[in-house]
Amino acid sequence: MFNEYNHFKKEHPYFNLILIFIIASLIGMLVEYLINRDFIGSGLYTTLFLMIVYLIKLWLEQNKKS
């Protein structure tokens, strides 16, 4: 299973990063809702900003390798 994930990560690095951010955001929103019974919408902007930063970082690393 771990080898399959590494292969997927190597073949689709951008999709992998987006998938990680979506899953982490959903888990964070679920925990926030379960604890405080509240939804903080501004957290989505932070997640979007961080995802863009990490996508740019990944893009720069990919260009540096080639």
Side-chain angles (χ1 to χ4, degrees), residues 1-37:
M1 176 98 171
F2 189 68
N3 290 334
E4 292 175 11
Y5 173 70
N6 281 337
H7 179 69
F8 175 77
K9 188 168 85 171
K10 197 177 292 184
E11 291 292 319
H12 309 286
Y14 297 105
F15 183 66
N16 179 53
L17 188 64
I18 292 170
L19 197 63
I20 288 172
F21 269 97
I22 290 172
I23 292 170
S25 295
L26 289 175
I27 291 172
M29 285 187 281
L30 179 67
V31 169
E32 175 69 25
Y33 182 75
L34 290 175
I35 292 174
N36 296 330
R37 299 279 186 223

